[in-house]
Amino acid sequence: MKNPFSRLFHRDRRKEYKAMQNRSDLTWYQDEIRKTEHMQRINMVSGIDSYLLREHKVLQRPNFNFKDKEFQTAKIILQTVKTIINFHTSYTVGNPISFTGDKGLVELIERVYRKGQFTKQDYEITTQLLKYGNAWEYIYLQDDKIKSKVFINDECYPCYDDKGNYYAFIEYWKDKDSGAEYHTIYYPDKVETYVDNELVDTNKNLTGLPIHYKSMVPSAYTQFGESFINDLIPIIDQVENLLSKLDDAVSNLSMNPIGVLTGLSTVDEMIDSNMVGACVQLAEGDFKYATVTMDHANIKQELDSLLMQFYGIACVPASVLGQSNVANVSEVSLSMLFNSTDNVARQNMFALKEGFAVRWEYMRKLLALQGTPIKDELFDTLDCSFNVNRPVDTESAMKEMLWQRNMGAISKQTIIENSKHTPNTALELERIKAEEDDRAERVKNAADLQGNGSGDDNPSGGSGESKENVDVKTPSG
């Protein structure tokens, strides 16, 4: 079976593409995946996967001889880019999205998301957007459940015509054990599966072509998005190279220097290269260690400059990675601190919502097949909001919403939608309604009991006359 996590896997994929270019007995879909735009993107994806699997440029540093032995040079690998990806993904979709619109429709969509585990799929799609700039998702029906498949990125070949129209999608991979080639071709109305160019299965496509999520930053081929981390890798390569050389310098020239003997020694044996703290007797001349004085100020300035540029391009506050402390945690300071992060998240939100609109249309088709049609006027109310995973001054936010509520400038539903403690708005409104109904029922019951009690104290019933006002006549003599 294929192993996409193997370091050799991506190298083999590149070799396959080069060999395929020389073939002339290819079908249309094999010819499609040979196009330059696909090969460039797949090579880029393979390179990023290899990098995230710790195949960094610093590993190419050669060893050298030191004190008559081979010295293993330092090769410091930093996985900071992986941390940046996880940070931005969790920041954008770490908390489930909140739906707005018609109450019944929101409940229906939330139920579909919960059964199909779409929150996990949103996380995977956002991760791929940050890694590669593109992601593809297919919505399908299985066991009466609406589900989602997020494709492995280097197996995806979307087909666009000369006018930029999306007309087909090819999923291609090769089994490393058997050598069999698998092509699954998605058309708007059907899905075909080929094994070694032989059609083995055809199914009806109930939704449509796989959804293409694309970064807001276009690549050289405008139908594809650009990877966010491509701008970070060269900086980290330089930081790794600098730290590795610094480690070698400290190990060799400071902690293990070379002894230099000038003059005549009184002993015939060679001086041990590992000698530390011993006495050397000389007839004449001098003995000293060859050390170096490193320019700490310049080294620190270069390293700090690289890291400053890295955090600026990565749009991550240095305090998130433990590089600085935050003294003021007010709402204003947090907003300024995460301003660049919000800009990246906003771009990802636009890309995600564009894909979500197609996803909801596909869900609508499948729900109609299940006997739950959705009218246009209700479907048009459906929208979503992202609950970014940012530290907030909760007290200040709640006070502001309370002031607006007291002024009549905000609804209870809006407060619930903007609270991180209530991700399910519809369910929370139902609970509040149930509490209000229960409270009203208790007040009504208490009023009824009070009315019944006052009636028992007045035995004259509805006459309304007190005993003192009744004219009692007594018989005469």
Side-chain angles (χ1 to χ4, degrees), residues 31 123 151 188 248 306 372 463:
D31 186 64
Y123 200 94
F151 294 90
D248 289 342
L306 288 171
T372 310
S463 63

Side-chain angles (χ1 to χ4, degrees), residues 65-238:
N65 290 329
F66 182 74
K67 292 186 177 181
D68 299 327
K69 295 181 181 179
E70 184 181 18
F71 180 80
Q72 299 288 334
T73 55
K75 301 172 180 64
I76 298 175
I77 294 177
L78 306 176
Q79 287 291 74
T80 314
V81 171
K82 186 180 292 186
T83 304
I84 297 299
I85 294 172
N86 294 334
F87 170 78
H88 280 294
T89 303
S90 297
Y91 187 86
T92 306
V93 293
N95 296 323
I97 62 175
S98 298
F99 292 97
T100 58
D102 178 75
K103 180 180 177 182
L105 178 60
V106 168
E107 293 176 354
L108 176 62
I109 296 298
E110 286 179 342
R111 185 163 58 250
V112 172
Y113 265 62
R114 186 168 54 254
K115 291 183 178 180
Q117 297 183 343
F118 279 86
T119 299
K120 177 185 176 183
Q121 302 299 74
D122 292 345
Y123 200 94
E124 174 62 26
I125 291 169
T126 307
T127 301
Q128 291 199 21
L129 272 177
L130 290 165
K131 283 183 181 179
Y132 316 116
N134 301 275
W136 286 270
E137 176 192 35
Y138 181 63
I139 306 298
Y140 63 99
L141 191 63
Q142 184 181 51
D143 300 329
D144 291 330
K145 292 182 181 179
I146 299 177
K147 294 186 177 182
S148 163
K149 174 184 177 181
V150 179
F151 294 90
I152 297 176
N153 212 277
D154 61 358
E155 298 176 355
C156 300
Y157 300 84
C159 304
Y160 292 90
D161 61 20
D162 295 338
K163 296 182 179 180
N165 297 317
Y166 184 26
Y167 67 89
F169 178 88
I170 302 171
E171 180 188 16
Y172 164 73
W173 60 278
K174 184 176 181 180
D175 193 298
K176 292 300 177 183
D177 294 333
S178 64
E181 294 185 349
Y182 293 82
H183 295 83
T184 303
I185 305 176
Y186 294 80
Y187 298 97
D189 58 344
K190 63 180 179 179
V191 179
E192 296 179 344
T193 302
Y194 294 84
V195 179
D196 290 333
N197 299 330
E198 181 180 351
L199 181 63
V200 296
D201 192 18
T202 301
N203 293 290
K204 187 176 181 180
N205 191 347
L206 300 178
T207 53
L209 295 172
I211 306 167
H212 184 184
Y213 296 84
K214 183 174 65 174
S215 169
M216 297 290 292
V217 181
S219 64
Y221 181 65
T222 56
Q223 298 299 337
F224 295 144
E226 178 66 23
S227 170
F228 175 74
I229 65 175
N230 276 343
D231 295 331
L232 304 178
I233 292 177
I235 301 178
I236 290 296
D237 284 343
Q238 187 63 24

Side-chain angles (χ1 to χ4, degrees), residues 188 206-208 360-370:
L206 300 178
T207 53
W360 297 338
E361 286 284 356
Y362 288 171
M363 287 181 175
R364 184 186 184 186
K365 290 182 181 180
L366 297 179
L367 288 170
L369 293 175
Q370 291 180 319

Side-chain angles (χ1 to χ4, degrees), residues 24-41:
S24 59
D25 58 335
L26 303 177
T27 58
W28 79 266
Y29 51 84
Q30 289 177 307
D31 186 64
E32 173 68 28
I33 66 177
R34 294 170 59 202
K35 290 183 176 180
T36 303
E37 60 266 22
H38 293 303
M39 297 188 65
Q40 288 179 347
R41 192 188 67 82

